[in-house]
């Protein structure tokens, strides 16, 4: 029997179909890029000026970036030389995420133009071309799954790997700065869509795993690069408007990291944690020379910081000693009560309902700016020829405070007491049977978390220049509040260092940029947590134990797969 040489075997036909789909995806990405050079609307009433031919602006730039990313991934999947590093573990899933990002950004822009300007008639032909072009890459969903185990990466010289790390942090600084500096809600929403799907695509392609392994190899270089990138942020700003947002992000991220000790490591559900932030803030306000303070004293900076942290430590011990013998929901209810008691007590210490200490509901205003060794944080200073405003000074101070908190968290988590916290969190009865004093271990976690919150509170008081009881409630339209902090820890990933930092950043930036969401924060938190529990219960950034616990049954080959940066496979014995 002879075979017709023109016949295609099933494997050959499938390969040809797959190649055609990848070329179609690449063509769709290029068409999406090209569409951004057309006018999408004829009126400049829509922000970003999308009326110019040959010059993308506003949301068109995000669509251009998303389309270019789709094109690069598609070409990498086709084996184009020099792009293989983009898809070390497969391209199909990454292409799907990238295609969704380009489609979502483009269609959001088109619909936003129609809604804001009053109908699709406000679209130029370029808008319709962009909508159709961005739909073409969705053919990537027809691609067969090509996920594979990552091969051994090509060896690079040490200097080249260090340059890669530096370039990654430089790119990260640019992306974060772009998001904070967005001037209108539509642009920020498009930014979230583009960045979110791009990160998902990089995770699916295996790039993030390789970068994590690289940063683990050069840990000291990574720490230095991260610090330099973070410290460089104020030098990218012309005004203090967005620097203030960054300062608040650092404050709330620092407090969330302190809460992570209580919730993430020790497993204690604390619903009144924001009260410890308030204790530190009120203490600093009372001893920093405010004209409204009941005490005629003005401590130096270092003394007010230590006083605020010590006061929070004392309150943590006082509150924790009688309550930490409770577990679960009972402990949560008691801590919620403590948070409300603190807020109400601060409102009653007004000289009428109680002693005149906190000025009641009016709070303590006129808190002076910090001054440290003659350096006035309230005055602009010129550094390297660039003028830094007052909030830039507080940003750099909070950056140092956050580094201190990160060091404390990391050291405590890997210490003997940290392992005891994890044992208590997993099974308190078994831990007690093994000789761990559960009450003492939990009290240490409670006190340490309270101290770190008080430390951040002392800086917050000087940044805000006033403290009022309404700033420290369980839930409200303006962070920080206990619901915000708890959601940041759970969303970011309990028990990790970077998880709460990411969670606090997202939960603060989104309402700050999208003003209409401020009154719906609890609704947003609830929806986000429901979605998270369904698709990624371990949080956006998970530690090794949590990822094993939640996904071991979903991944039969889990022992053969390493976590990003771990360098080893996941096994039950190694959890």
């Amino acid at each position: 029997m002879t075979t017709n040489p023109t016949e295609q075997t099933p494997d050959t036909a499938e390969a040809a179909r797959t190649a055609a789909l990848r070329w179609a995806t690449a063509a769709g990405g290029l068409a999406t890029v090209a569409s951004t050079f057309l006018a999408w609307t004829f009126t400049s009433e829509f922000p970003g000026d999308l009326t110019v031919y040959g010059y993308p602006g506003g949301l068109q730039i995000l669509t251009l970036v998303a389309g270019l990313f789709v094109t690069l991934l598609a070409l990498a999947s086709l084996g184009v030389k020099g792009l293989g590093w983009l898809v070390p573990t497969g391209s199909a899933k990454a292409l799907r995420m990238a295609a969704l990002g380009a489609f979502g950004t483009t269609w959001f822009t088109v619909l936003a133009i129609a809604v804001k300007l009053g109908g699709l008639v406000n679209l130029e032909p370029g808008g319709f071309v962009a909508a159709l072009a961005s739909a073409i890459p969705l053919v990537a969903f027809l691609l067969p799954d090509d996920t594979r185990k990552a091969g051994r990466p090509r060896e690079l010289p040490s200097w080249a790997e260090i340059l890669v790390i530096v370039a990654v942090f430089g790119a990260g600084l640019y992306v974060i700065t772009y998001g904070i500096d967005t001037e209108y809600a539509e642009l920020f929403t498009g930014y979230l869509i583009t960045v979110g799907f791009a990160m998902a695509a990089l995770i699916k392609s295996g790039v993030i795993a390789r970068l994590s392994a690289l940063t683990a190899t050069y840990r000291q270089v990574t720490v230095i690069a991260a610090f330099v990138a973070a410290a460089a942020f104020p030098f990218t700003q012309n005004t203090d408007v967005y620097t203030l947002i960054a300062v608040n992000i650092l404050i709330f991220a620092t407090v969330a990291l302190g809460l992570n000790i209580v919730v993430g490591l020790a497993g204690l559900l604390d619903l009144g944690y924001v009260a410890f932030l308030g204790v530190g803030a009120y203490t600093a306000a009372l001893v920093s020379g405010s004209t409204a303070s009941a005490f005629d004293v003005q401590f130096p900076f270092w003394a007010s910081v230590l006083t605020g942290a010590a006061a929070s430590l004392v309150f943590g011990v006082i509150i924790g000693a009688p309550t930490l013998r409770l577990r679960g929901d009972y402990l949560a209810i008691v801590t919620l009560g403590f948070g409300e008691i603190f807020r109400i007590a601060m409102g009653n210490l007004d000289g009428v309902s109680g002693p005149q200490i906190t000025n009641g509901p009016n709070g303590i205003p006129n808190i002076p700016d910090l001054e440290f060794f003659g350096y006035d944080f309230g005055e602009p200073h010129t550094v390297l020829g660039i003028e830094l405003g007052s909030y830039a000074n507080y940003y750099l101070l909070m950056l140092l405070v956050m580094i201190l908190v990160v060091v404390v968290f990391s050291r405590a988590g890997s210490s003997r007491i940290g392992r005891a916290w994890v044992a208590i969190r997993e099974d308190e009865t078994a831990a007690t049977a093994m000789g761990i004093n559960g009450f003492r271990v939990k009290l240490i976690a409670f006190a340490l978390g309270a101290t770190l919150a008080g430390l951040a509170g002392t800086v917050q008081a000087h940044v805000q220049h006033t403290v009022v009881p309404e700033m420290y409630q369980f839930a409200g339209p303006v962070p920080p509040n206990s619901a915000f902090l708890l959601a940041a820890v759970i969303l970011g990933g309990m028990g990790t260092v970077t998880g709460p930092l990411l969670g606090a950043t997202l939960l603060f930036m989104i309402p700050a940029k999208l003003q209409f969401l401020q009154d719906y924060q609890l609704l947003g938190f609830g929806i986000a947590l429901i979605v998270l529990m369904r698709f990624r219960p371990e949080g956006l950034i998970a530690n090794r134990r949590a990822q094993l616990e939640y996904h071991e049954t979903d991944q039969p080959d889990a022992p053969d797969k390493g976590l990003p940066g771990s360098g080893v496979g996941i096994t039950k014995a190694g959890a």
Side-chain angles (χ1 to χ4, degrees), residues 276 279 310-324 334 338 439 443 446-447 450:
F276 297 119
V279 170
S312 296
L313 170 63
V314 171
F315 269 86
V317 173
I318 292 176
I319 300 303
T323 61
L324 288 178
V334 171
F338 163 65
F439 172 74
L443 185 60
F446 210 73

Side-chain angles (χ1 to χ4, degrees), residues 172-184:
L173 172 63
Y174 177 80
V175 171
I176 293 173
T177 301
Y178 185 91
I180 294 178
D181 291 352
T182 50
E183 298 177 352
Y184 47 93

